Amino acid sequence: MKGRVLDGCALLMTGRDTVVTALEDLEAVREIALGEGKGPVVLREAVPFGHKVAVERIDAGDHVVKYGEVIGEATERIEPGAWVHTHNCESTRGRGDVRSDGEAVAGGERR
Amino acid sequence: MAEFTGFRRPDGSVGVRNHVAVIPTSVSASALATRIGADAGERVRATPHQMGADQPTPAREQTERVLAGTGRNPNVGAALLVELGTESIDVEALADRIAASGKPVETLSIREVGGTAAAIEAGTERARSLVGEVEGARRETADAAELVFGVECGGSDATSGIAANPAVGNACDRLVEAGGTASFSETPEFIGAEHILAERCADEATRERLLERVEMRENMAQLMGVDLRGAQPTPGNQEGGLTTIEEKSLGAISKGGTTPVRGMVEYAERLPTGGGLVLMDTPGYDVESVVGKVAGGAQVVAFTTGRGSTTGNPIAPVIKVTGNPKTWERLSNNVDFDASTVISGESLSDVGERLFDLLLEVASGRPTEAEYRRLEEFAINEIQPEELVGLRGEAR
């Protein structure tokens, strides 16, 4: 598997990533040791298998990075240990509902 | 040297199955094709679909390309084309395109033969006679370089990008190394990862084509005034942990392996033999996408799934691969290969080698789970009105 398994339960795919993937259902308040001189993160909520956890603070509008690549941007400030999913991270691509200036397109469906 | 055993066709291609295909030219002949397929015996495979009798020209041409390519697929030893008789598709011209590969082709018109009862009788008889023509064929040893391997993903979750897709990608690398062709598609699932694919393109023309096709697919959302996020990732993908199309795409492209991208063909256009890694421009709907690659000549398909899938194809064996241990447990009757061992520590190279061995075994006749259960899906991508508008602005 590409990447590094942290604490036997989460996968950090590259050193640039700001999120890790849960390799099992993780319970709230569980600690994940990050290694490499960084302190552990404590889960702020339960995170299911395959879902993502922030390993550093991601400010609103900042890129969320997995595979060493941008997978979207934060829609609010995301604290370390928080579950990262559609409630706080969104795609920057395929946005037919907004124009380049950010205005909603008339009649466009905002989901 | 990696080898398999297959059926050498008159045009030199090698089939991994020896089917007689019953191909309807429209929805009006589809039920009848299914009936003939059921009545004419084990070797006969129908490809029923939903395309109407009078599609706009670009859509009709695409349907013809799929039907001709399906008939020409090396897994098909002979073909019977069935029409109602009112279709704008010229059944004889279609038969000629298939017969150019040297295999026997027959046609049947429901109107001419005197209705469905007479057509079932005549069609079943013709299909059985075609079976008689192909059943003498014997498998012979062939080089793995003769294989065109189509790879697909459906029902993705977070394990797809971590385990199943990289495992299939490793098998693709092995096939390309052996001189064969691997192809993946689903252009909407390049969005967010196209810069990585573009860097891997072997030449500038391929790079430009790839970026142009990705832009077209992304603009479709604009044309319709909708947000791709409602459809991509799907609600099932989201439940499986995938948040954005970029994340889904970055995981999806790993199923093609790591070799240079040698070209990009149209939906259902012929894939070259001995071509290395070649992309096909298809929609993200997996059944249509698999059908496009099989019409392009893929003899074997690998289908990765995280959430689960039972899919199969009438013409090509579909090897299903999962990286999700729960899906492997629950769907072991429908999934062929467990790649979740990647997560528990088996090296990608070992898993890829096992998968490559399975590919050669399936090519040599080992049935897949979908074949055991005769789970066969067939759908043709229909060019939509919005796309026709888009096509007018494009030189073709």
Side-chain angles (χ1 to χ4, degrees):
Chain A
M1 187 160 54
K2 278 182 191 151
R4 191 158 59 86
V5 177
L6 306 178
D7 233 353
C9 70
L11 177 67
L12 181 71
M13 301 203 65
T14 76
R16 289 190 52 217
D17 292 7
T18 55
V19 293
V20 294
T21 302
L23 295 178
E24 57 191 73
D25 289 334
L26 300 176
E27 307 212 341
V29 310
R30 174 160 180 168
E31 264 189 27
I32 302 175
L34 300 181
E36 301 190 330
K38 291 177 195 159
V41 293
V42 179
L43 294 194
R44 302 171 77 90
E45 56 214 305
V47 176
F49 172 75
H51 286 239
K52 294 174 291 299
V53 180
V55 288
E56 55 189 74
R57 199 179 89 180
I58 308 168
D59 284 320
D62 278 1
H63 288 154
V64 176
V65 179
K66 178 183 167 185
Y67 295 103
E69 300 285 337
V70 176
I71 63 161
E73 60 185 39
T75 53
E76 59 188 40
R77 192 168 92 173
I78 303 173
E79 298 294 340
W83 176 40
V84 178
H85 202 25
T86 49
H87 61 289
N88 56 12
C89 170
E90 70 174 21
S91 173
T92 62
R93 302 292 301 273
R95 296 298 300 274
D97 60 330
V98 288
R99 294 200 308 258
S100 48
D101 58 8
E103 284 296 302
V105 173
E109 197 180 342
R110 185 94 209 197
R111 299 192 207 213
Chain B
M1 190 174 77
E3 290 175 336
F4 69 105
T5 63
F7 302 94
R8 180 77 60 181
R9 302 300 178 197
D11 64 355
S13 65
V14 183
V16 305
R17 296 294 182 268
N18 193 29
H19 296 314
V20 169
V22 182
I23 302 171
T25 64
S26 77
V27 65
S28 310
S30 283
L32 191 97
T34 302
R35 174 70 186 267
I36 294 170
D39 287 359
E42 176 64 20
R43 205 178 281 287
V44 182
R45 294 288 187 279
T47 62
H49 60 84
Q50 299 297 315
M51 297 301 105
D54 292 295
Q55 294 181 284
T57 303
R60 192 196 74 236
E61 287 170 351
Q62 179 154 300
T63 298
E64 289 170 343
R65 195 161 69 237
V66 172
L67 300 178
T70 301
R72 271 200 317 259
N73 186 292
N75 296 351
V76 173
L80 170 64
L81 302 180
V82 186
E83 63 166 3
L84 172 60
T86 62
E87 291 91 345
S88 49
I89 289 181
D90 178 349
V91 74
E92 294 303 331
L94 192 62
D96 288 345
R97 283 170 74 173
I98 298 172
S101 63
K103 64 184 74 170
V105 184
E106 297 264 357
T107 62
L108 175 73
S109 163
I110 298 171
R111 258 188 0 164
E112 273 177 29
V113 83
T116 51
I120 290 168
E121 196 177 324
T124 305
E125 194 180 303
R126 278 175 216 185
R128 283 189 182 139
S129 133
L130 289 170
V131 168
E133 290 192 51
V134 306
E135 67 188 355
R138 290 290 172 265
R139 287 186 182 268
E140 56 183 78
T141 303
D143 191 322
E146 306 273 4
L147 286 175
V148 177
F149 183 33
V151 299
E152 183 73 27
C153 56
S156 297
D157 68 10
T159 65
S160 301
I162 294 172
N165 289 337
V168 168
N170 188 277
C172 286
D173 284 351
R174 289 169 193 273
L175 181 63
V176 169
E177 173 70 33
T181 301
S183 178
F184 72 104
S185 59
E186 302 177 282
T187 315
E189 294 168 26
F190 300 166
I191 295 173
E194 70 270 44
H195 57 294
I196 299 172
L197 287 175
E199 264 177 36
R200 278 171 49 198
C201 286
D203 57 75
E204 189 56 25
T206 303
R207 199 183 81 87
E208 279 174 19
R209 187 167 202 194
L210 164 73
L211 293 174
E212 174 208 330
R213 293 311 170 98
V214 171
E215 197 183 344
M216 269 176 66
R217 298 277 173 182
E218 196 170 4
N219 287 345
M220 284 301 299
Q222 204 84 46
L223 274 171
M224 292 186 266
V226 298
D227 170 3
L228 259 185
R229 288 173 308 166
Q232 289 284 12
T234 64
N237 296 152
Q238 292 181 16
E239 197 184 318
L242 297 176
T243 304
T244 63
I245 182 63
E246 296 94 313
E247 183 183 14
K248 183 175 175 176
S249 298
L250 289 161
I253 64 166
S254 61
K255 67 182 176 289
T258 59
T259 64
V261 176
R262 299 282 172 197
M264 184 175 198
V265 300
E266 299 287 346
Y267 180 74
E269 188 183 343
R270 183 96 58 112
L271 291 159
T273 305
L277 179 64
V278 180
L279 306 180
M280 182 180 280
D281 182 19
T282 76
Y285 174 30
D286 45 33
V287 178
E288 293 179 353
S289 177
V290 167
V291 163
K293 291 195 286 289
V294 172
Q299 303 111 309
V300 186
V301 173
F303 188 107
T304 64
T305 183
R307 308 206 20 101
S309 167
T310 61
T311 200
N313 177 276
I315 305 301
V318 176
I319 301 169
K320 292 208 287 305
V321 178
T322 188
N324 186 321
K326 284 181 189 155
T327 298
W328 173 247
E329 220 171 89
R330 286 178 192 152
L331 289 181
S332 59
N333 288 339
N334 295 109
V335 179
D336 298 276
F337 189 90
D338 177 18
S340 72
T341 53
V342 171
I343 298 173
S344 46
E346 188 180 4
S347 79
L348 259 183
S349 170
D350 286 354
V351 178
E353 188 176 1
R354 286 198 291 118
L355 190 52
F356 184 62
D357 290 344
L358 178 62
L359 163 66
L360 296 177
E361 279 176 41
V362 167
S364 302
R366 173 174 165 174
T368 62
E369 295 292 344
E371 286 184 294
Y372 270 129
R373 293 168 180 79
R374 290 294 302 265
L375 296 169
E376 297 162 10
E377 291 168 357
F378 194 88
I380 297 172
N381 173 246
E382 181 166 30
I383 299 177
Q384 299 300 313
E386 294 88 347
E387 291 178 88
L388 292 173
V389 171
L391 287 176
R392 265 181 230 139
E394 190 206 358
R396 282 178 69 91

